[in-house]
Amino acid sequence: MTHEIVVIPGDGIGQEVTPAAVDVLRALELDFEFVEADAGDAVAEETGEPLPQETYDLAAEADATLFGAVGETAADVILPLREAVGSFVNIRPAKAYPGVDALRPETDLVFLRENTEGVYSGHEDRLTQDVSTLTRVVTESASRDLAEFACEYVSGDDHDGFTIAHKANVMRETDGLFRDTVAEVATENGVETDEVLMDAFATHVCLDPAQFDVVVCPNLAGDVLSDLAAGLVGGLGLLPSANVGRDRALFEPVHGSAPDIAGEGVANPAATIISAAMLLEYLGYDDEAAAVETAVEATLEEGPRTPDLGGDASTEDVTQAVIDRL
Protein backbone atom coordinates (compact mmCIF):
# COMPACT_ATOMS: atom_id res chain seq x y z
CA MET A 1 0.00 0.00 0.00
CA THR A 2 1.35 3.39 -1.02
CA HIS A 3 1.24 6.12 1.63
CA GLU A 4 0.95 9.70 0.41
CA ILE A 5 3.08 12.11 2.45
CA VAL A 6 2.55 15.84 1.97
CA VAL A 7 5.77 17.80 2.56
CA ILE A 8 5.52 21.50 3.49
CA PRO A 9 9.00 23.00 4.02
CA GLY A 10 7.72 26.52 4.77
CA ASP A 11 10.19 29.33 5.47
CA GLY A 12 13.72 29.79 6.75
CA ILE A 13 15.42 26.63 7.95
CA GLY A 14 12.25 24.73 7.17
CA GLN A 15 13.57 24.73 3.61
CA GLU A 16 16.69 22.90 4.84
CA VAL A 17 15.61 20.53 7.61
CA THR A 18 12.45 19.24 5.91
CA PRO A 19 14.26 17.96 2.79
CA ALA A 20 16.80 16.38 5.18
CA ALA A 21 14.05 14.40 6.89
CA VAL A 22 12.62 13.37 3.52
CA ASP A 23 16.07 12.11 2.47
CA VAL A 24 16.10 9.90 5.58
CA LEU A 25 12.64 8.56 4.79
CA ARG A 26 13.64 7.88 1.17
CA ALA A 27 16.68 5.95 2.38
CA LEU A 28 14.32 3.41 3.98
CA GLU A 29 12.92 2.57 0.52
CA LEU A 30 9.34 2.31 1.74
CA ASP A 31 6.27 2.66 -0.45
CA PHE A 32 5.88 6.40 0.10
CA GLU A 33 4.75 9.03 -2.39
CA PHE A 34 5.96 12.52 -1.46
CA VAL A 35 3.96 15.55 -2.59
CA GLU A 36 5.48 18.98 -1.90
CA ALA A 37 3.23 21.94 -1.07
CA ASP A 38 3.73 25.61 -0.19
CA ALA A 39 2.86 27.68 2.87
CA GLY A 40 4.33 30.51 4.90
CA ASP A 41 5.64 34.05 4.64
CA ALA A 42 7.11 33.77 1.14
CA VAL A 43 3.85 32.37 -0.25
CA ALA A 44 1.86 35.10 1.51
CA GLU A 45 4.08 37.78 0.00
CA GLU A 46 3.67 36.30 -3.46
CA THR A 47 -0.02 35.36 -3.41
CA GLY A 48 -1.55 37.11 -0.40
CA GLU A 49 -2.41 33.74 1.18
CA PRO A 50 -0.01 32.13 3.71
CA LEU A 51 -1.84 28.82 3.37
CA PRO A 52 -3.14 28.19 -0.14
CA GLN A 53 -6.35 26.18 -0.36
CA GLU A 54 -4.52 23.57 -2.42
CA THR A 55 -2.07 22.96 0.44
CA TYR A 56 -4.88 22.71 2.98
CA ASP A 57 -6.73 20.20 0.78
CA LEU A 58 -3.62 18.09 0.25
CA ALA A 59 -3.02 17.85 4.01
CA ALA A 60 -6.69 17.01 4.59
CA GLU A 61 -6.52 14.07 2.20
CA ALA A 62 -3.00 12.65 2.65
CA ASP A 63 -2.04 9.83 5.00
CA ALA A 64 0.38 12.14 6.82
CA THR A 65 1.99 15.56 6.50
CA LEU A 66 5.58 16.57 7.29
CA PHE A 67 5.83 20.27 8.06
CA GLY A 68 8.93 22.43 8.53
CA ALA A 69 8.54 25.93 9.93
CA VAL A 70 7.13 29.32 9.02
CA GLY A 71 7.81 32.82 10.24
CA GLU A 72 5.38 35.66 10.94
CA THR A 73 2.43 33.78 9.42
CA ALA A 74 2.81 30.79 11.76
CA ALA A 75 -0.62 31.11 13.37
CA ASP A 76 -2.22 31.48 9.94
CA VAL A 77 -0.58 28.27 8.75
CA ILE A 78 -0.16 25.74 11.52
CA LEU A 79 -3.54 26.21 13.20
CA PRO A 80 -5.52 25.60 9.97
CA LEU A 81 -3.22 22.68 9.09
CA ARG A 82 -3.95 21.06 12.44
CA GLU A 83 -7.62 21.56 11.64
CA ALA A 84 -7.10 20.02 8.19
CA VAL A 85 -5.85 16.75 9.69
CA GLY A 86 -8.48 16.82 12.44
CA SER A 87 -5.82 16.93 15.14
CA PHE A 88 -7.14 16.83 18.70
CA VAL A 89 -3.87 16.00 20.46
CA ASN A 90 -0.35 17.40 20.13
CA ILE A 91 2.36 14.94 21.21
CA ARG A 92 5.58 16.64 22.31
CA PRO A 93 8.41 14.49 23.66
CA ALA A 94 11.19 16.26 25.55
CA LYS A 95 14.11 13.87 25.96
CA ALA A 96 17.78 14.42 26.78
CA TYR A 97 20.09 12.57 24.40
CA PRO A 98 23.57 11.18 25.10
CA GLY A 99 26.30 13.51 23.90
CA VAL A 100 24.15 16.62 24.19
CA ASP A 101 25.03 19.18 26.85
CA ALA A 102 21.65 19.01 28.59
CA LEU A 103 20.87 21.00 31.71
CA ARG A 104 18.98 17.98 33.11
CA PRO A 105 20.26 14.78 31.41
CA GLU A 106 17.68 12.67 33.27
CA THR A 107 14.79 14.40 31.46
CA ASP A 108 12.49 12.07 29.50
CA LEU A 109 8.98 13.53 29.25
CA VAL A 110 6.05 13.38 26.88
CA PHE A 111 3.46 16.16 26.80
CA LEU A 112 0.00 15.31 25.51
CA ARG A 113 -1.54 18.69 24.74
CA GLU A 114 -5.14 19.42 23.86
CA ASN A 115 -4.96 20.81 20.36
CA THR A 116 -8.27 22.42 19.40
CA GLU A 117 -9.43 24.96 21.95
CA GLY A 118 -8.48 26.90 25.07
CA VAL A 119 -7.15 30.40 24.43
CA TYR A 120 -6.11 29.32 20.92
CA SER A 121 -9.74 29.13 19.82
CA GLY A 122 -9.38 32.55 18.20
CA HIS A 123 -12.15 34.41 20.05
CA GLU A 124 -10.45 37.78 20.56
CA ASP A 125 -12.05 41.22 20.44
CA ARG A 126 -10.89 44.81 20.73
CA LEU A 127 -13.82 46.49 22.48
CA THR A 128 -12.33 49.94 22.92
CA GLN A 129 -8.96 51.62 22.65
CA ASP A 130 -8.43 50.60 26.28
CA VAL A 131 -10.04 47.15 26.38
CA SER A 132 -9.42 43.91 24.53
CA THR A 133 -10.81 40.50 25.44
CA LEU A 134 -10.02 36.84 24.88
CA THR A 135 -12.57 34.08 25.39
CA ARG A 136 -11.19 30.75 26.59
CA VAL A 137 -13.13 27.71 25.38
CA VAL A 138 -12.92 24.33 27.14
CA THR A 139 -15.37 21.54 26.36
CA GLU A 140 -16.02 18.22 27.99
CA SER A 141 -15.98 16.49 24.60
CA ALA A 142 -12.50 17.73 23.60
CA SER A 143 -11.16 17.00 27.08
CA ARG A 144 -12.59 13.49 26.86
CA ASP A 145 -11.01 12.91 23.44
CA LEU A 146 -7.61 13.89 24.80
CA ALA A 147 -8.08 11.75 27.92
CA GLU A 148 -9.08 8.67 25.91
CA PHE A 149 -5.96 9.11 23.77
CA ALA A 150 -3.81 9.55 26.89
CA CYS A 151 -5.17 6.35 28.43
CA GLU A 152 -4.41 4.39 25.29
CA TYR A 153 -0.97 6.02 25.01
CA VAL A 154 0.17 5.06 28.53
CA SER A 155 -1.31 1.56 28.35
CA GLY A 156 0.61 0.75 25.19
CA ASP A 157 4.07 1.38 26.61
CA ASP A 158 6.07 1.31 29.82
CA HIS A 159 4.19 4.02 31.70
CA ASP A 160 2.55 4.06 35.11
CA GLY A 161 -0.21 6.48 34.20
CA PHE A 162 -0.01 10.22 33.64
CA THR A 163 0.04 13.61 35.35
CA ILE A 164 -2.71 16.17 34.76
CA ALA A 165 -1.27 19.70 34.72
CA HIS A 166 -3.85 22.47 35.14
CA LYS A 167 -4.73 25.74 36.85
CA ALA A 168 -8.14 24.80 38.24
CA ASN A 169 -7.52 26.67 41.48
CA VAL A 170 -7.96 29.92 39.53
CA MET A 171 -9.74 28.97 36.29
CA ARG A 172 -12.32 26.91 38.13
CA GLU A 173 -14.89 26.49 35.37
CA THR A 174 -12.56 25.90 32.41
CA ASP A 175 -9.58 24.09 33.88
CA GLY A 176 -11.89 22.58 36.47
CA LEU A 177 -13.90 20.97 33.67
CA PHE A 178 -10.70 19.85 31.94
CA ARG A 179 -9.21 18.30 35.09
CA ASP A 180 -12.41 16.58 36.19
CA THR A 181 -13.14 15.14 32.74
CA VAL A 182 -9.63 13.80 32.21
CA ALA A 183 -9.57 12.25 35.69
CA GLU A 184 -13.00 10.67 35.16
CA VAL A 185 -11.95 9.08 31.85
CA ALA A 186 -8.76 7.77 33.45
CA THR A 187 -10.78 6.17 36.23
CA GLU A 188 -13.10 4.58 33.69
CA ASN A 189 -10.07 3.07 31.96
CA GLY A 190 -8.28 1.98 35.11
CA VAL A 191 -5.38 4.36 34.51
CA GLU A 192 -3.61 5.95 37.47
CA THR A 193 -3.25 9.73 37.51
CA ASP A 194 -1.90 12.46 39.69
CA GLU A 195 -2.27 16.20 39.24
CA VAL A 196 -0.18 19.33 39.62
CA LEU A 197 -0.82 23.03 39.18
CA MET A 198 0.90 24.14 36.00
CA ASP A 199 2.92 26.89 37.71
CA ALA A 200 4.12 24.44 40.34
CA PHE A 201 4.99 22.02 37.55
CA ALA A 202 7.22 24.68 35.98
CA THR A 203 9.28 24.74 39.18
CA HIS A 204 9.25 21.01 39.92
CA VAL A 205 10.23 19.94 36.41
CA CYS A 206 13.34 22.13 36.55
CA LEU A 207 14.39 20.81 39.95
CA ASP A 208 13.57 17.13 39.37
CA PRO A 209 12.28 16.25 35.88
CA ALA A 210 12.58 12.51 36.59
CA GLN A 211 9.46 12.66 38.78
CA PHE A 212 7.35 13.22 35.65
CA ASP A 213 6.68 10.92 32.70
CA VAL A 214 3.55 11.64 30.61
CA VAL A 215 1.91 15.02 31.21
CA VAL A 216 -1.62 15.78 29.99
CA CYS A 217 -2.50 19.47 29.77
CA PRO A 218 -4.64 22.13 28.12
CA ASN A 219 -3.57 23.84 24.92
CA LEU A 220 -1.62 26.88 26.12
CA ALA A 221 -0.10 25.06 29.09
CA GLY A 222 1.16 22.29 26.81
CA ASP A 223 2.72 24.82 24.48
CA VAL A 224 4.52 26.75 27.20
CA LEU A 225 5.53 23.86 29.48
CA SER A 226 6.96 21.76 26.64
CA ASP A 227 9.08 24.74 25.56
CA LEU A 228 10.27 25.04 29.16
CA ALA A 229 11.26 21.37 29.08
CA ALA A 230 13.20 22.03 25.88
CA GLY A 231 15.55 24.18 27.93
CA LEU A 232 16.34 21.16 30.10
CA VAL A 233 17.40 18.93 27.19
CA GLY A 234 19.43 21.27 25.01
CA GLY A 235 16.99 23.51 23.19
CA LEU A 236 14.08 23.55 20.79
CA GLY A 237 16.28 22.16 18.02
CA LEU A 238 15.87 18.72 19.58
CA LEU A 239 12.09 18.62 20.06
CA PRO A 240 9.84 16.82 17.58
CA SER A 241 6.05 16.78 17.66
CA ALA A 242 2.99 15.11 16.20
CA ASN A 243 -0.49 16.53 15.66
CA VAL A 244 -2.72 13.47 15.61
CA GLY A 245 -6.29 13.18 14.38
CA ARG A 246 -8.56 10.18 13.95
CA ASP A 247 -7.59 9.44 10.35
CA ARG A 248 -4.43 11.42 9.61
CA ALA A 249 -1.68 13.39 11.30
CA LEU A 250 0.84 16.18 10.86
CA PHE A 251 4.43 16.06 12.10
CA GLU A 252 6.68 19.04 12.76
CA PRO A 253 9.72 20.17 14.74
CA VAL A 254 8.86 22.50 17.61
CA HIS A 255 11.48 25.09 16.58
CA GLY A 256 10.70 28.06 14.36
CA SER A 257 12.08 29.24 11.04
CA ALA A 258 15.32 30.69 12.56
CA PRO A 259 15.86 33.44 9.95
CA ASP A 260 19.21 34.33 11.57
CA ILE A 261 20.79 31.13 10.24
CA ALA A 262 18.51 30.37 7.29
CA GLY A 263 20.40 29.69 4.10
CA GLU A 264 23.70 28.96 5.83
CA GLY A 265 23.27 25.18 5.73
CA VAL A 266 23.97 24.71 9.44
CA ALA A 267 20.48 24.13 10.84
CA ASN A 268 20.12 21.12 13.12
CA PRO A 269 17.84 18.58 11.36
CA ALA A 270 17.48 16.30 14.41
CA ALA A 271 14.03 17.48 15.53
CA THR A 272 12.60 17.16 12.02
CA ILE A 273 14.13 13.73 11.48
CA ILE A 274 12.75 12.52 14.83
CA SER A 275 9.39 13.98 13.79
CA ALA A 276 9.71 11.82 10.67
CA ALA A 277 10.36 8.84 12.95
CA MET A 278 7.10 9.65 14.73
CA LEU A 279 5.43 9.71 11.32
CA LEU A 280 6.78 6.23 10.61
CA GLU A 281 5.43 4.92 13.91
CA TYR A 282 2.05 6.51 13.22
CA LEU A 283 1.86 4.68 9.88
CA GLY A 284 2.76 1.37 11.51
CA TYR A 285 6.45 1.18 10.62
CA ASP A 286 7.59 0.62 14.21
CA ASP A 287 10.92 -1.05 13.39
CA GLU A 288 11.88 1.63 10.90
CA ALA A 289 10.87 4.36 13.35
CA ALA A 290 13.08 2.84 16.05
CA ALA A 291 15.96 2.54 13.59
CA VAL A 292 15.74 6.21 12.63
CA GLU A 293 15.61 7.36 16.24
CA THR A 294 18.56 5.12 17.11
CA ALA A 295 20.54 6.54 14.18
CA VAL A 296 19.78 10.10 15.30
CA GLU A 297 20.76 9.32 18.89
CA ALA A 298 24.06 7.80 17.76
CA THR A 299 24.78 10.84 15.60
CA LEU A 300 24.02 13.22 18.45
CA GLU A 301 26.32 11.22 20.75
CA GLU A 302 29.20 10.55 18.37
CA GLY A 303 28.88 13.35 15.83
CA PRO A 304 28.98 15.08 13.52
CA ARG A 305 27.12 17.93 15.21
CA THR A 306 25.80 21.25 13.97
CA PRO A 307 27.02 24.53 15.54
CA ASP A 308 24.08 24.78 17.96
CA LEU A 309 25.44 21.65 19.66
CA GLY A 310 29.05 22.81 19.65
CA GLY A 311 30.12 21.27 16.35
CA ASP A 312 30.93 22.61 12.92
CA ALA A 313 29.00 20.19 10.71
CA SER A 314 26.45 21.19 8.11
CA THR A 315 22.84 20.09 7.91
CA GLU A 316 23.85 17.84 5.01
CA ASP A 317 26.71 16.29 7.03
CA VAL A 318 24.41 15.36 9.90
CA THR A 319 21.71 14.03 7.60
CA GLN A 320 24.19 11.84 5.73
CA ALA A 321 25.57 10.52 9.04
CA VAL A 322 22.06 9.46 10.07
CA ILE A 323 21.51 7.75 6.72
CA ASP A 324 24.86 5.99 6.93
CA ARG A 325 23.98 4.64 10.37
CA LEU A 326 20.66 3.36 9.03
Side-chain angles (χ1 to χ4, degrees):
M1 174 184 177
T2 300
H3 289 290
E4 183 178 85
I5 313 297
V6 173
V7 180
I8 308 174
D11 301 313
I13 63 170
Q15 293 283 335
E16 302 164 52
V17 296
T18 313
V22 172
D23 286 345
V24 172
L25 291 175
R26 289 188 188 278
L28 296 169
E29 299 183 350
L30 299 172
D31 194 6
F32 286 171
E33 178 185 353
F34 297 96
V35 180
E36 186 161 325
D38 296 322
D41 296 359
V43 178
E45 186 174 340
E46 182 179 341
T47 69
E49 294 290 339
L51 181 64
Q53 186 64 44
E54 179 184 3
T55 300
Y56 181 98
D57 292 341
L58 284 169
E61 296 170 4
D63 295 300
T65 298
L66 184 64
F67 175 72
V70 295
E72 295 298 321
T73 58
D76 300 313
V77 174
I78 191 57
L79 295 182
L81 281 176
R82 289 171 179 167
E83 176 188 90
V85 302
S87 170
F88 61 90
V89 58
N90 183 212
I91 308 172
R92 288 193 173 189
K95 177 181 177 180
Y97 293 101
V100 175
D101 186 17
L103 185 64
R104 291 292 187 183
E106 69 273 29
T107 306
D108 189 357
L109 304 170
V110 177
F111 293 88
L112 301 181
R113 165 192 174 197
E114 201 288 318
N115 214 26
T116 65
E117 50 186 32
V119 296
Y120 289 0
S121 301
H123 301 297
E124 286 190 279
D125 290 293
R126 185 66 176 265
L127 302 183
T128 70
Q129 181 67 25
D130 185 51
V131 179
S132 59
T133 65
L134 170 64
T135 300
R136 186 170 191 258
V137 178
V138 174
T139 65
E140 181 178 349
S141 55
S143 301
R144 179 167 284 273
D145 286 342
L146 173 63
E148 294 283 3
F149 183 93
C151 290
E152 183 176 352
Y153 186 91
V154 299
S155 64
D157 210 337
D158 187 22
H159 302 287
D160 295 325
F162 57 80
T163 298
I164 308 169
H166 61 83
K167 193 64 177 169
N169 61 327
V170 174
M171 296 181 284
R172 296 172 182 171
E173 292 300 326
T174 50
D175 264 25
L177 175 61
F178 175 84
R179 177 201 59 196
D180 294 346
T181 302
V182 173
E184 178 182 343
V185 171
T187 299
E188 292 170 358
N189 286 272
V191 173
E192 294 185 9
T193 65
D194 58 6
E195 60 179 88
V196 61
L197 296 176
M198 63 179 69
D199 48 346
F201 175 89
T203 298
H204 296 325
V205 76
C206 294
L207 296 174
D208 181 17
Q211 68 183 290
F212 299 109
D213 180 17
V214 177
V215 184
V216 177
C217 40
N219 203 334
L220 177 61
D223 194 2
V224 173
L225 295 177
S226 61
D227 279 14
L228 171 66
L232 304 180
V233 302
L236 288 173
L238 296 171
L239 262 63
S241 74
N243 301 277
V244 177
R246 303 196 185 283
D247 300 309
R248 49 192 49 85
L250 179 147
F251 302 83
E252 56 171 328
V254 175
H255 64 68
S257 60
D260 56 323
I261 61 168
E264 297 181 11
V266 296
N268 185 352
T272 314
I273 296 174
I274 300 171
S275 296
M278 296 176 74
L279 180 153
L280 289 167
E281 185 175 13
Y282 171 77
L283 293 177
Y285 297 96
D286 293 352
D287 292 342
E288 290 84 352
V292 170
E293 185 163 1
T294 298
V296 172
E297 289 185 7
T299 303
L300 289 171
E301 182 174 13
E302 302 169 15
R305 301 187 187 94
T306 44
D308 61 308
L309 298 181
D312 58 5
S314 67
T315 306
E316 184 178 352
D317 292 336
V318 173
T319 305
Q320 189 58 52
V322 172
I323 292 173
D324 290 344
R325 286 183 167 96
L326 282 174

